[in-house]
Amino acid sequence: MFVSKGRVLAAMSGGVDSSVSAALLKQQGYEVIGAMMRFWPDNKKDDCFETCCSPDAAYEARRVADILGIPFYLLDYREEFQEKIIDPFIAGYRAGETPNPCVNCNTRVKFDSLLKKARMLGCDYVATGHYVINRDGGLYRGDPKKDQTYFLWGTPKEAIPHMLFPVGHLEKPQVRALAEQFGLPTAKKPESQNICFVQGDLKDFLAQHLTARPGPLIDLETGQQIGEHSGAQFYTVGQKKGLGLWKSHLERYVVQVNTATNEVIVGPKEACLWGGLEARQVNLLVEAQDLPERLEVQVRYRTRPVPARVEAMGAGRLVIRLEEPQFAVTPGQSAVLYQGERLLGGGFIARLLYNALGLGRSLIPA
């Protein structure tokens, strides 16, 4: 007699990772229910969402579910996605930050709202195709080339026992090979590299939602205007190209974006090197007293973590001193905490501290 290892709601995006995850779960003896969260609205053109979140992706996910012989549901998350992901994304740029919507999506939708839906369906677990390892009550890095723990720092601790990552211990070529073995149509599907709800250029997307106000480019060293920008909200810390400098031979980088005054401050590359930060909305996956004083911090998804020390903590905020100054530490991005391969938590970058050029405690207001 078949005895299920538990009922799992498998989040299926129509991509190869989530498809193989669902197949592996069924092979391992779980009762699998496939589900895709519908984000795309009715009043937009068909290609307004990227491949991972489009109607075509839903069709692919349903095909995979049919091949695996599992039920499949298309869950309506349009209003929630707009409220929790798209609106804060636009608001972040309006405030001069550079938000990462994937963090909010995992924290506030996949491992919050979707987990609640799973419980309503009598499921013990939610499974995704993330390259993450859930071991001994903690989250650890998966394939170094594809590791996605960076996006999961906001996960509630109580959700971790209910999260499954079937491909977390695998590398991408192995996942594609398994998709071929299972006969899945997503085996050779290309990866989506863009923000799922931004089709084409990010600046064009923002221009549809934020009023463009040309303003001055201010040189950090002289205080003089050396160019004109097309709207402060279109710029990000560390940006070099497309600044609108009057003298194109000057090498300048965005040091600060101030949407309140509609100014963009630019300076030499060294001005973008910061040795510390303060994070807000901090979430820890370990008890606060167990957080090591010395750990590693990763300030962007594609950068390596660097040794750091916790200088102060409290009221959802964390002050961190980086042992190696980092380029373009950016408000709105995430500072993610690690101890070796283990994810400890993280927070949103609110203030920049300890500039390499001695610019003072911070250029960025709290």
Side-chain angles (χ1 to χ4, degrees):
M1 184 179 74
F2 172 75
V3 178
S4 172
K5 293 175 67 174
R7 178 179 288 183
V8 184
L9 187 66
M12 301 178 69
S13 66
V16 63
D17 300 322
S18 61
S19 299
V20 171
S21 293
L24 288 173
L25 288 168
K26 183 175 181 183
Q27 185 183 69
Q28 292 164 7
Y30 290 94
E31 180 185 352
V32 183
I33 298 174
M36 183 175 183
M37 293 176 284
R38 178 183 175 181
F39 299 146
W40 66 89
D42 288 325
N43 62 342
K44 296 287 184 74
K45 58 184 182 179
D46 291 341
D47 63 350
C48 69
F49 270 58
E50 260 286 1
T51 54
C52 68
C53 304
S54 67
D56 288 343
Y59 172 74
E60 292 292 334
R62 189 179 296 277
R63 284 181 64 198
V64 170
D66 288 343
I67 291 170
L68 298 178
I70 62 174
F72 178 82
Y73 297 96
L74 187 62
L75 307 176
D76 190 350
Y77 277 81
R78 286 173 290 178
E79 290 186 9
E80 191 161 354
F81 192 77
Q82 183 71 41
E83 175 189 345
K84 293 183 177 181
I85 310 302
I86 299 179
D87 289 347
F89 178 81
I90 295 169
Y93 273 97
R94 183 182 290 115
E97 297 187 340
T98 305
N100 187 322
C102 295
V103 171
N104 272 341
C105 186
N106 283 293
T107 301
R108 305 185 66 188
V109 179
K110 290 179 181 174
F111 296 115
D112 182 9
S113 299
L114 189 61
L115 184 55
K116 292 173 183 175
K117 177 68 72 174
R119 288 168 178 158
M120 291 173 58
L121 294 172
C123 294
D124 306 292
Y125 308 99
V126 164
T128 70
H130 285 93
Y131 287 85
V132 176
I133 296 172
N134 189 339
R135 184 176 70 240
D136 301 327
L139 301 182
Y140 294 79
R141 292 186 183 275
D143 174 10
K145 294 180 181 179
K146 299 294 297 179
D147 171 61
Q148 293 168 303
T149 51
Y150 178 88
F151 301 110
L152 301 188
W153 63 261
T155 304
K157 280 190 294 186
E158 58 271 19
I160 292 177
H162 305 282
M163 297 161 62
L164 298 178
F165 305 104
V167 302
H169 62 290
L170 300 173
E171 296 181 356
K172 188 74 176 194
Q174 293 175 301
V175 172
R176 291 200 183 276
L178 283 170
E180 295 277 7
Q181 293 176 27
F182 286 121
L184 304 181
T186 55
K188 296 181 180 179
K189 187 172 181 178
E191 294 184 75
S192 174
Q193 301 292 336
N194 300 324
I195 298 171
C196 70
F197 55 86
V198 176
Q199 181 69 22
D201 185 70
L202 174 60
K203 188 173 181 178
D204 292 340
F205 173 84
L206 292 173
Q208 296 172 21
H209 298 87
L210 300 174
T211 301
R213 293 185 299 145
L217 283 170
I218 304 298
D219 189 272
L220 176 70
E221 297 178 316
T222 66
Q224 301 298 310
Q225 181 176 354
I226 59 172
E228 184 176 77
H229 64 73
S230 57
Q233 67 268 27
F234 300 137
Y235 295 78
T236 186
V237 172
Q239 181 177 336
K240 180 183 178 183
K241 295 181 179 180
L243 296 185
L245 295 169
W246 289 334
K247 296 180 179 180
S248 59
H249 68 278
L250 291 175
E251 184 176 78
R252 294 291 186 272
Y253 297 79
V254 174
V255 179
Q256 181 185 10
V257 175
N258 191 331
T259 55
T261 61
N262 199 35
E263 293 178 330
V264 175
I265 310 299
V266 298
K269 187 173 184 178
E270 293 77 12
C272 293
L273 292 172
W274 295 87
L277 60 92
E278 182 177 348
R280 68 176 192 270
Q281 294 176 245
V282 170
N283 180 64
L284 298 180
L285 301 182
V286 296
E287 297 301 322
Q289 63 269 22
D290 296 330
L291 190 69
E293 181 181 344
R294 192 172 188 275
L295 36 69
E296 295 87 48
V297 174
Q298 187 170 337
V299 296
R300 283 182 181 267
Y301 176 48
R302 291 299 184 188
T303 62
R304 63 180 180 85
V306 296
R309 293 183 181 275
V310 176
E311 291 196 332
M313 178 171 54
R317 300 181 83 87
L318 199 64
V319 176
I320 296 170
R321 184 71 178 247
L322 306 172
E323 294 188 7
E324 302 174 23
Q326 294 296 289
F327 177 74
V329 182
T330 307
Q333 290 284 303
S334 295
V336 184
L337 315 178
Y338 293 90
Q339 187 176 37
E341 299 297 301
R342 184 173 186 177
L343 175 66
L344 300 179
F348 294 110
I349 298 170
R351 291 167 62 90
L352 313 182
L353 309 172
Y354 315 124
N355 184 265
L357 292 186
L359 298 178
R361 186 169 185 271
S362 176
L363 285 175
I364 311 299

